[in-house]
Amino acid sequence: MKLNEYLIDKESASVEVGASRSAEQVRSGGSGTLACTPYRLVYVDGNDVTDISLKGVNSIQYRGMEYPKSYLVSGVGATIFGLFVALVMRGASGVEPIPEGAVWGVAALSIAAGILTLVWGLFIRRASLKVHTPNKTYRFFSTDSSLKEIGHAVRGHEMKN
């Protein structure tokens, strides 16, 4: 379903942005469309539609483009593990029953994977918007910096109504 198919007659979106409900969504702009109309916030992703009345929005939190913390933790962890294996291997040469080349290979792969994860995190930075209602908190993510305009539009329409 597309956003225009969901909106009612003569209803238009003041702001639209490509977004996702998943923090791990990597594609540019996200997988769905988040839009603000004068009366509601609508998110359409395929056949799934989330419809939030602006009267029910208690607060909105916007965070600008950020490095994903899970990539930071994973990248640093893998790199430290690889360095640890390399240091242990260097100090225990010839003691363990595992072939020396295999241990060095694990250390090198771990370090490389950690560094690649850290670099990849730079490419998938994204902004986030949390919309709090009395019953639920909705989270939206986008690589499009215009996600902040959704928050401004919600508050702008709220002041008019």
Side-chain angles (χ1 to χ4, degrees), residues 1-3 5-6 31-33 43-49:
M1 176 178 292
K2 296 186 189 254
L3 178 65
E5 295 171 5
Y6 185 75
S31 62
T33 302
Y43 176 71
V44 178
D45 183 9
N47 291 328
D48 296 331
V49 177

PDB file of all heavy atoms in Angstrom, residues 1-3 5-6 31-33 43-49:
ATOM      1  N   MET A   1       0.849  -1.173   0.000  1.00  0.00           N
ATOM      2  CA  MET A   1       0.000   0.000   0.000  1.00  0.00           C
ATOM      3  C   MET A   1       0.897   1.238   0.000  1.00  0.00           C
ATOM      4  O   MET A   1       1.902   1.282   0.692  1.00  0.00           O
ATOM      5  CB  MET A   1      -0.899  -0.017   1.239  1.00  0.00           C
ATOM      6  CG  MET A   1      -1.744   1.228   1.374  1.00  0.00           C
ATOM      7  SD  MET A   1      -2.847   1.207   2.792  1.00  0.00           S
ATOM      8  CE  MET A   1      -3.961  -0.070   2.326  1.00  0.00           C
ATOM      9  N   LYS A   2       0.493   2.236  -0.751  1.00  0.00           N
ATOM     10  CA  LYS A   2       1.234   3.488  -0.797  1.00  0.00           C
ATOM     11  C   LYS A   2       0.542   4.523   0.070  1.00  0.00           C
ATOM     12  O   LYS A   2      -0.649   4.413   0.356  1.00  0.00           O
ATOM     13  CB  LYS A   2       1.324   3.990  -2.231  1.00  0.00           C
ATOM     14  CG  LYS A   2       2.114   3.060  -3.119  1.00  0.00           C
ATOM     15  CD  LYS A   2       2.284   3.670  -4.485  1.00  0.00           C
ATOM     16  CE  LYS A   2       2.863   2.647  -5.403  1.00  0.00           C
ATOM     17  NZ  LYS A   2       4.141   2.704  -5.799  1.00  0.00           N
ATOM     18  N   LEU A   3       1.286   5.520   0.489  1.00  0.00           N
ATOM     19  CA  LEU A   3       0.748   6.556   1.365  1.00  0.00           C
ATOM     20  C   LEU A   3      -0.486   7.220   0.756  1.00  0.00           C
ATOM     21  O   LEU A   3      -1.495   7.388   1.428  1.00  0.00           O
ATOM     22  CB  LEU A   3       1.826   7.607   1.657  1.00  0.00           C
ATOM     23  CG  LEU A   3       1.382   8.772   2.530  1.00  0.00           C
ATOM     24  CD1 LEU A   3       1.038   8.291   3.925  1.00  0.00           C
ATOM     25  CD2 LEU A   3       2.452   9.829   2.586  1.00  0.00           C
ATOM     26  N   GLU A   5      -2.677   6.070  -1.207  1.00  0.00           N
ATOM     27  CA  GLU A   5      -3.823   5.165  -1.160  1.00  0.00           C
ATOM     28  C   GLU A   5      -4.462   5.155   0.226  1.00  0.00           C
ATOM     29  O   GLU A   5      -5.651   4.890   0.360  1.00  0.00           O
ATOM     30  CB  GLU A   5      -3.401   3.747  -1.533  1.00  0.00           C
ATOM     31  CG  GLU A   5      -2.920   3.594  -2.948  1.00  0.00           C
ATOM     32  CD  GLU A   5      -2.321   2.222  -3.207  1.00  0.00           C
ATOM     33  OE1 GLU A   5      -2.357   1.343  -2.318  1.00  0.00           O
ATOM     34  OE2 GLU A   5      -1.779   2.027  -4.317  1.00  0.00           O
ATOM     35  N   TYR A   6      -3.680   5.432   1.248  1.00  0.00           N
ATOM     36  CA  TYR A   6      -4.182   5.372   2.624  1.00  0.00           C
ATOM     37  C   TYR A   6      -4.837   6.681   3.061  1.00  0.00           C
ATOM     38  O   TYR A   6      -5.772   6.676   3.847  1.00  0.00           O
ATOM     39  CB  TYR A   6      -3.044   4.998   3.584  1.00  0.00           C
ATOM     40  CG  TYR A   6      -3.539   4.806   4.991  1.00  0.00           C
ATOM     41  CD1 TYR A   6      -4.242   3.655   5.337  1.00  0.00           C
ATOM     42  CD2 TYR A   6      -3.332   5.773   5.960  1.00  0.00           C
ATOM     43  CE1 TYR A   6      -4.724   3.473   6.618  1.00  0.00           C
ATOM     44  CE2 TYR A   6      -3.808   5.594   7.249  1.00  0.00           C
ATOM     45  CZ  TYR A   6      -4.504   4.454   7.571  1.00  0.00           C
ATOM     46  OH  TYR A   6      -4.981   4.279   8.837  1.00  0.00           O
ATOM     47  N   SER A  31      12.571   1.770   4.598  1.00  0.00           N
ATOM     48  CA  SER A  31      11.744   0.856   3.824  1.00  0.00           C
ATOM     49  C   SER A  31      10.318   1.337   3.659  1.00  0.00           C
ATOM     50  O   SER A  31       9.582   0.801   2.855  1.00  0.00           O
ATOM     51  CB  SER A  31      11.747  -0.519   4.490  1.00  0.00           C
ATOM     52  OG  SER A  31      11.196  -0.414   5.787  1.00  0.00           O
ATOM     53  N   GLY A  32       9.889   2.324   4.413  1.00  0.00           N
ATOM     54  CA  GLY A  32       8.520   2.819   4.342  1.00  0.00           C
ATOM     55  C   GLY A  32       8.497   4.327   4.240  1.00  0.00           C
ATOM     56  O   GLY A  32       9.528   4.973   4.046  1.00  0.00           O
ATOM     57  N   THR A  33       7.294   4.885   4.388  1.00  0.00           N
ATOM     58  CA  THR A  33       7.124   6.338   4.331  1.00  0.00           C
ATOM     59  C   THR A  33       6.444   6.807   5.607  1.00  0.00           C
ATOM     60  O   THR A  33       5.393   6.282   5.991  1.00  0.00           O
ATOM     61  CB  THR A  33       6.269   6.731   3.112  1.00  0.00           C
ATOM     62  OG1 THR A  33       6.893   6.252   1.936  1.00  0.00           O
ATOM     63  CG2 THR A  33       6.121   8.231   3.018  1.00  0.00           C
ATOM     64  N   TYR A  43       2.535   6.047   9.108  1.00  0.00           N
ATOM     65  CA  TYR A  43       3.692   5.308   8.605  1.00  0.00           C
ATOM     66  C   TYR A  43       3.170   4.149   7.778  1.00  0.00           C
ATOM     67  O   TYR A  43       2.385   3.330   8.253  1.00  0.00           O
ATOM     68  CB  TYR A  43       4.564   4.782   9.751  1.00  0.00           C
ATOM     69  CG  TYR A  43       5.716   3.943   9.262  1.00  0.00           C
ATOM     70  CD1 TYR A  43       6.786   4.532   8.601  1.00  0.00           C
ATOM     71  CD2 TYR A  43       5.728   2.576   9.437  1.00  0.00           C
ATOM     72  CE1 TYR A  43       7.838   3.767   8.132  1.00  0.00           C
ATOM     73  CE2 TYR A  43       6.778   1.802   8.977  1.00  0.00           C
ATOM     74  CZ  TYR A  43       7.830   2.406   8.324  1.00  0.00           C
ATOM     75  OH  TYR A  43       8.872   1.648   7.853  1.00  0.00           O
ATOM     76  N   VAL A  44       3.589   4.075   6.511  1.00  0.00           N
ATOM     77  CA  VAL A  44       3.161   3.021   5.609  1.00  0.00           C
ATOM     78  C   VAL A  44       4.393   2.254   5.143  1.00  0.00           C
ATOM     79  O   VAL A  44       5.339   2.841   4.626  1.00  0.00           O
ATOM     80  CB  VAL A  44       2.402   3.603   4.389  1.00  0.00           C
ATOM     81  CG1 VAL A  44       2.001   2.496   3.436  1.00  0.00           C
ATOM     82  CG2 VAL A  44       1.195   4.402   4.832  1.00  0.00           C
ATOM     83  N   ASP A  45       4.364   0.938   5.340  1.00  0.00           N
ATOM     84  CA  ASP A  45       5.441   0.064   4.897  1.00  0.00           C
ATOM     85  C   ASP A  45       4.811  -1.197   4.320  1.00  0.00           C
ATOM     86  O   ASP A  45       4.392  -2.085   5.065  1.00  0.00           O
ATOM     87  CB  ASP A  45       6.362  -0.282   6.062  1.00  0.00           C
ATOM     88  CG  ASP A  45       7.549  -1.128   5.647  1.00  0.00           C
ATOM     89  OD1 ASP A  45       7.763  -1.316   4.440  1.00  0.00           O
ATOM     90  OD2 ASP A  45       8.273  -1.602   6.538  1.00  0.00           O
ATOM     91  N   GLY A  46       4.699  -1.235   2.992  1.00  0.00           N
ATOM     92  CA  GLY A  46       4.029  -2.367   2.352  1.00  0.00           C
ATOM     93  C   GLY A  46       2.566  -2.376   2.740  1.00  0.00           C
ATOM     94  O   GLY A  46       1.851  -1.402   2.548  1.00  0.00           O
ATOM     95  N   ASN A  47       2.096  -3.491   3.329  1.00  0.00           N
ATOM     96  CA  ASN A  47       0.704  -3.596   3.772  1.00  0.00           C
ATOM     97  C   ASN A  47       0.511  -3.147   5.214  1.00  0.00           C
ATOM     98  O   ASN A  47      -0.611  -3.140   5.702  1.00  0.00           O
ATOM     99  CB  ASN A  47       0.206  -5.032   3.603  1.00  0.00           C
ATOM    100  CG  ASN A  47       0.061  -5.412   2.152  1.00  0.00           C
ATOM    101  OD1 ASN A  47      -0.249  -4.571   1.316  1.00  0.00           O
ATOM    102  ND2 ASN A  47       0.316  -6.675   1.841  1.00  0.00           N
ATOM    103  N   ASP A  48       1.594  -2.824   5.913  1.00  0.00           N
ATOM    104  CA  ASP A  48       1.505  -2.389   7.308  1.00  0.00           C
ATOM    105  C   ASP A  48       1.334  -0.877   7.376  1.00  0.00           C
ATOM    106  O   ASP A  48       2.076  -0.125   6.733  1.00  0.00           O
ATOM    107  CB  ASP A  48       2.765  -2.781   8.078  1.00  0.00           C
ATOM    108  CG  ASP A  48       2.946  -4.282   8.159  1.00  0.00           C
ATOM    109  OD1 ASP A  48       1.934  -5.003   8.145  1.00  0.00           O
ATOM    110  OD2 ASP A  48       4.102  -4.730   8.242  1.00  0.00           O
ATOM    111  N   VAL A  49       0.357  -0.448   8.180  1.00  0.00           N
ATOM    112  CA  VAL A  49       0.097   0.976   8.355  1.00  0.00           C
ATOM    113  C   VAL A  49       0.012   1.272   9.844  1.00  0.00           C
ATOM    114  O   VAL A  49      -0.663   0.571  10.586  1.00  0.00           O
ATOM    115  CB  VAL A  49      -1.223   1.401   7.669  1.00  0.00           C
ATOM    116  CG1 VAL A  49      -1.511   2.869   7.925  1.00  0.00           C
ATOM    117  CG2 VAL A  49      -1.172   1.126   6.179  1.00  0.00           C
TER     118      VAL A  49
END
